[in-house]
Amino acid sequence: QVQLMESGGGLVQPGGSLRLSCAASGSIFRVNAMGWYRQAPGKQRELVARIGGGGSTNYADSVKGRFTISNDNAKNTVDLQMNNLKPEDTAVYYCQTESRAGPLAPMRNYWGQGTQVTVSL
């Protein structure tokens, strides 16, 4: 079992910045990838940013140039620096990881509880 703890959400004005953090703990043999997803009311959950074990990253087109994902494999953490926030960024943000609990265990997806980000005047 892998647990994810998210922090950093809140209310900011358009143009402001927030930094989301996520720490993974529990039975972790290897982390294959970590990422951030978000879901706004009435919409489907979408990928925001993802980082692989080798450091490769990908971003949703809507956040390129504004958001930066980073990780620390030694600490099993992943951060999302969000700059120049827009009202369209308002959503619940979820941390996600693909991890193995053992050398022969299957790769599984784990999700955090979510943290609210609201961008409004």
Side-chain angles (χ1 to χ4, degrees):
Q1 185 69 31
V2 175
Q3 297 84 44
L4 300 176
M5 180 68 71
E6 300 142 323
S7 62
L11 173 65
V12 297
Q13 295 183 356
S17 298
L18 283 175
R19 187 176 183 88
L20 305 182
S21 297
C22 175
S25 62
S27 301
I28 304 174
F29 175 75
R30 179 179 293 115
V31 176
N32 189 63
M34 299 190 77
W36 289 93
Y37 290 71
R38 68 186 181 187
Q39 186 169 23
K43 298 183 178 180
Q44 296 206 317
R45 188 173 300 183
E46 65 173 346
L47 173 69
V48 178
R50 181 165 54 201
I51 185 167
S56 62
T57 60
N58 59 340
Y59 297 88
D61 289 340
S62 60
V63 307
K64 286 182 178 178
R66 300 189 297 120
F67 291 9
T68 302
I69 189 170
S70 61
N71 71 328
D72 186 334
N73 289 330
K75 298 180 180 179
N76 291 324
T77 60
V78 61
D79 290 357
L80 184 69
Q81 179 65 46
M82 304 185 294
N83 297 326
N84 192 23
L85 284 160
K86 303 176 179 180
E88 307 91 90
D89 297 318
T90 296
V92 177
Y93 284 69
Y94 297 90
C95 178
Q96 181 263 358
T97 182
E98 298 174 358
S99 303
R100 294 184 185 273
L104 300 179
M107 195 75 67
R108 293 184 177 180
N109 294 322
Y110 299 90
W111 297 88
Q113 294 297 309
T115 184
Q116 178 70 48
V117 172
T118 302
V119 185
S120 178
L121 295 172

